[in-house]
Amino acid sequence: MLLGDVSSTYSDIVETVFSSTIAAKAWFATGAAALAIVQVLTASRMWGKLRRVVPLPFATAKRIHRWSGRIAVLLTLPVFFHCVTMLGWKTPDARVTAHVVAGSFVYGVLAAKLLVIRWKAYPHWVLPVLGGSLAAVLATLWLTSALWYFTNVRFGF
């Protein structure tokens, strides 16, 4: 019964700002996806690519990369809570199935990326592969949820 009370409280809080919990999920996911783009751009800059597109010093790109990542992870937490406690594992069609499978991988890929960062002796290709994989998983999640919501349900808060 405690989980039901938490979900009800969550819904009450979210619906003070958004029209529904699904709308909140879509907007939080959109924020995380936008920050994932910042992540890709700043990571590319730190790896010596896109110097003209992202004309930032390395230290600035690194600081933006870290903070945009932290905020992106925070934005995914209410989405995760909503998906796990209110929606659960459902596979009624291909879109939802793709979303559920990608959602199952997102925090695992994030954990792997964060562990590799702490491990100083990784091969040079591992971090970009994990970062790119994380961006791809987040893009898949956004395309199969928020974009679908905005184009098929409503665009708004």
Side-chain angles (χ1 to χ4, degrees), residues 71-91:
I71 295 167
V73 169
L74 288 175
L75 289 175
T76 66
L77 294 177
V79 176
F80 170 77
F81 176 81
H82 179 99
C83 290
V84 170
T85 63
M86 300 176 104
L87 299 175
W89 183 284
K90 299 175 186 169
T91 57

Side-chain angles (χ1 to χ4, degrees), residues 49-87:
K49 311 293 183 199
L50 301 180
R51 288 184 181 161
R52 290 184 183 187
V53 177
V54 185
L56 297 171
F58 180 86
T60 303
K62 181 178 176 182
R63 189 171 27 258
I64 292 169
H65 186 80
R66 285 186 174 178
W67 277 102
S68 62
R70 290 170 181 154
I71 295 167
V73 169
L74 288 175
L75 289 175
T76 66
L77 294 177
V79 176
F80 170 77
F81 176 81
H82 179 99
C83 290
V84 170
T85 63
M86 300 176 104
L87 299 175

Side-chain angles (χ1 to χ4, degrees), residues 57-135:
F58 180 86
T60 303
K62 181 178 176 182
R63 189 171 27 258
I64 292 169
H65 186 80
R66 285 186 174 178
W67 277 102
S68 62
R70 290 170 181 154
I71 295 167
V73 169
L74 288 175
L75 289 175
T76 66
L77 294 177
V79 176
F80 170 77
F81 176 81
H82 179 99
C83 290
V84 170
T85 63
M86 300 176 104
L87 299 175
W89 183 284
K90 299 175 186 169
T91 57
D93 58 35
R95 177 190 65 83
V96 176
T97 301
H99 184 77
V100 167
V101 170
S104 298
F105 283 103
V106 69
Y107 289 107
V109 175
L110 175 64
K113 180 180 181 272
L114 295 176
L115 286 172
V116 164
I117 290 170
R118 298 290 176 216
W119 177 45
K120 301 297 184 198
Y122 61 85
H124 74 283
W125 57 268
V126 172
L127 193 57
V129 167
L130 287 171
S133 298
L134 183 57

